[in-house]
């Protein structure tokens, strides 16, 4: 008899499993949160900019509240030039192993050089922002230049940023400073960077010093740009310095960055101007969908990546509990209740989404793919404006105002930028209309610049840059952004208006 039941069970269990699986799929169909079986899809046109079928969506119907911040975002290492004592300036001299071959760390062995030369063109570049009609600018200050050796600050560079901030304010542009955007001094890297919890004191001291300098003029501070991207590049795929591939270390660095953010937040809040400053972290999210929703391994893979890339950070700030658990890595758990209150705003960077396939290669057990119907940018990112809406919805769970601190397209021939902007700005406006508290949008980026491991090949700029002459030219595809900004922007900064009114 038992043999009968065993055979009966063996025969029916896959069928039963399949039925349960299908039931699960139908429950969790499309959810506009970060993880969903199927991507949220709106009815757009067929992808061609001039196609007529906009029956469901009218991208002209936009709403942005008064006081909304319109900006562009940049990072010091990517635009300034004269970068020669940081983790990235060392990295560009090196090679790394890829599929058994030694290749330059930056594509084709490119060097950051002075191809954009922002350091010497601050006025000109602020002029470009004015031409666009912007009222805000997010940029990072270069720790490597400002603190060339531990505890020694360079007066000239401190002064340089004072001058830049004063020029921005004069032009009616609200500065937003990022304290760490992927690059840091080589001495910090050599000490182990964020791998060692002891080193957090150096980061904290730098932030305190900079806040003392700039907070009388600057209201917005981002502590760390995209910890998940930094960790993925530096400790998982190894394409960013220090080029390690170690999931245990990745978890430790993430833990230290989270602790570092919380410590910096509370230190700065206690300082003069702390109570009025707006301080937040910047997180990048990419939705991870299964390549084949009927394949449980693809589904599992997409959930794992969604956890590691998106949710780990959000969970920490939502619950105060950091719980890094990944197959094949040491679990790291700790609780920091203060984390829940350690952001005045959330900086949200959003570009696109991925489909995850359980397809082991030499590099990884999972492969990131896109359906052939996707409209691709020059990066492996398809256009996916619906995802911006979903990302906002997910970030809103933290109950803080949101600033879209980066969003943009690499589009060397400028054939998709116009469409990209139309659709992403529509998605943003829809989120605002639906009640999400989004207070600003920063396009990545003002002009073509150094795109990390990709060198100068990826052209995200609203302005084209001729890297020989440094000449900046507004792209046609960017004019839509200029038009929207000029339509919705409030001309004066709230501060300036208050001052004028009280005179
Ligand atoms: C983000 C980075 C930014 C830029 C864009 C394209 O992940 O924060 O510096 O490289 O991607």
């Amino acid at each position: 008899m038992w043999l009968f039941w065993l055979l009966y069970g063996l025969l029916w269990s896959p069928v039963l499993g399949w039925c349960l699986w299908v039931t699960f799929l139908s429950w969790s169909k499309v959810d506009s949160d970060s993880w969903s079986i199927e991507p949220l899809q709106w009815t757009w046109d067929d992808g061609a900019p001039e196609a007529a079928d906009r029956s469901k969506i009218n991208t002209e119907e936009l709403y942005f509240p008064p006081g909304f911040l319109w900006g562009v975002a940049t990072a010091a290492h990517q635009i300034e030039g004269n970068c020669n004592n940081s983790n990235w300036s060392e990295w560009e001299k090196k090679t790394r192993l890829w599929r058994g071959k030694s290749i330059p760390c930056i594509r084709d062995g490119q060097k950051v050089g002075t191809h954009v030369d922002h350091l010497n063109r601050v006025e000109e570049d602020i002029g470009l922002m004015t031409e666009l009609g912007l009222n805000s600018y997010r940029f990072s200050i270069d720790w490597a230049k400002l603190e060339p050796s531990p505890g020694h600050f360079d007066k000239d560079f401190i002064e340089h940023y004072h001058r830049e901030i004063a020029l921005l304010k004069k032009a009616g542009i609200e500065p937003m400073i990022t304290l760490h955007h992927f690059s840091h001094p080589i001495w910090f890297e050599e000490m182990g960077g964020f791998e060692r919890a002891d080193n957090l004191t150096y980061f904290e001291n730098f932030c305190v010093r900079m806040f003392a300098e700039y907070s009388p003029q600057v209201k917005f501070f981002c502590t760390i740009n995209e910890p998940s991207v930094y960790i993925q590049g530096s400790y998982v795929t190894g394409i960013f310095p220090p080029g390690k591939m170690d999931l245990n270390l990745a978890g430790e660095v993430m833990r230290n960055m989270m602790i570092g953010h919380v410590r910096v937040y509370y230190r700065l809040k206690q300082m003069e101007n702390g109570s009025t400053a707006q301080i937040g972290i910047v997180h990048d999210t990419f939705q991870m969908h299964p390549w084949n929703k009927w394949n449980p391994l693809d589904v599992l893979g997409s959930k794992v990546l969604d956890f590691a890339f998106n949710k780990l950070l959000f969970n920490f700030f939502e619950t105060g509990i950091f719980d890094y658990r990944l197959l094949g890595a040491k679990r790291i758990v700790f609780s920091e209740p203060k984390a829940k209150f350690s952001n005045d705003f959330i900086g949200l960077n959003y570009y696109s989404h991925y489909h995850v396939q359980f397809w082991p290669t030499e590099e990884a057990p999972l492969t990131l793919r896109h359906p052939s119907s996707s409209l691709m940018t020059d990066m492996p990112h398809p256009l996916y404006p619906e995802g911006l809406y979903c990302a906002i919805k997910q970030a809103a769970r933290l109950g803080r105002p949101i600033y879209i601190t980066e969003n943009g397209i690499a589009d060397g021939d400028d054939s998709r930028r116009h469409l990209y902007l139309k659709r992403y700005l529509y998605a943003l406006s829809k989120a605002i209309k639906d009640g999400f508290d989004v207070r600003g949008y920063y396009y990545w980026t003002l002009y073509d610049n150094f795109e990390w491991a990709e060198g100068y090949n990826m052209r995200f700029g609203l302005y084209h840059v001729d890297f020989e002459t440094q000449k900046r030219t507004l792209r046609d595809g960017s004019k839509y952004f200029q038009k929207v900004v000029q339509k919705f922007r409030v001309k004066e900064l709230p501060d300036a208006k208050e001052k004028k009114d009280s005179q």
Side-chain angles (χ1 to χ4, degrees), residues 78 181-182 225-226 229 284 349 351 406 444 451-452 460:
Q78 296 178 270
H181 193 129
F182 295 171
N225 180 67
E226 300 184 345
V229 176
D284 189 20
N349 292 357
Y351 290 88
E406 283 181 32
W444 183 273
E451 180 47 35
W452 309 113
F460 278 89

Side-chain angles (χ1 to χ4, degrees), residues 449-468:
N449 59 44
F450 180 77
E451 180 47 35
W452 309 113
E454 294 293 330
Y456 285 96
N457 292 49
M458 293 298 148
R459 291 182 175 264
F460 278 89
L462 291 172
Y463 287 82
H464 169 274
V465 176
D466 177 329
F467 295 130
E468 296 294 312

Side-chain angles (χ1 to χ4, degrees), residues 131-143:
E131 180 178 42
L132 292 169
L134 305 181
N135 60 10
S136 192
Y137 174 44
R138 172 179 175 235
F139 62 104
S140 76
I141 49 176
D142 193 347
W143 184 5

Side-chain angles (χ1 to χ4, degrees), residues 389-408:
Y389 183 89
C390 300
I392 291 171
K393 187 174 171 198
Q394 188 186 29
R397 294 215 322 251
L398 298 184
R400 295 285 181 278
I402 296 168
Y403 291 86
I404 305 302
T405 33
E406 283 181 32
N407 172 244

